[in-house]
Amino acid sequence: ETLQRIVSTLANKNDEIHNFIDMLNHTIKNVQVNSSNAISELDEEFDGLYSILDEMKGSMASTIQQEETRKIQTL
């Protein structure tokens, strides 16, 4: 009878461990999905910022060139 209780307790603990492992696997999958989504959003944000900076660079370079041309013509 004692041995049967020990076996029963071990079987219950085994089930608990498997349930815990399943829960951890589910949590890992969620973390992976969330991380992937965060990286994608970050990539999009940086792409947008890069695009804006590139436009500003072009505009500023054009302004500098126009100013250079104006000053050369003045001289």
Side-chain angles (χ1 to χ4, degrees):
E1 184 177 321
T2 302
L3 184 57
Q4 189 174 4
R5 279 188 304 208
I6 292 171
V7 170
S8 177
T9 299
L10 289 174
N12 288 338
K13 293 298 177 184
N14 189 42
D15 287 343
E16 288 178 21
I17 289 171
H18 283 289
N19 288 337
F20 184 68
I21 289 171
D22 289 342
M23 183 192 70
L24 288 177
N25 284 331
H26 181 70
T27 300
I28 288 170
K29 287 178 186 175
N30 285 340
V31 168
Q32 289 171 330
V33 167
N34 290 341
S35 295
S36 179
N37 289 342
I39 289 171
S40 293
E41 290 174 10
L42 187 63
D43 284 342
E44 289 177 19
E45 188 170 338
F46 273 101
D47 287 345
L49 290 172
Y50 180 79
S51 177
I52 290 169
L53 286 174
D54 196 43
E55 288 176 20
M56 289 177 68
K57 174 188 169 187
S59 175
M60 292 174 84
S62 176
T63 301
I64 290 169
Q65 288 174 344
Q66 289 172 1
E67 184 68 16
E68 176 188 21
T69 301
R70 187 187 65 77
K71 286 181 179 180
I72 289 173
Q73 287 176 350
T74 300
L75 292 173

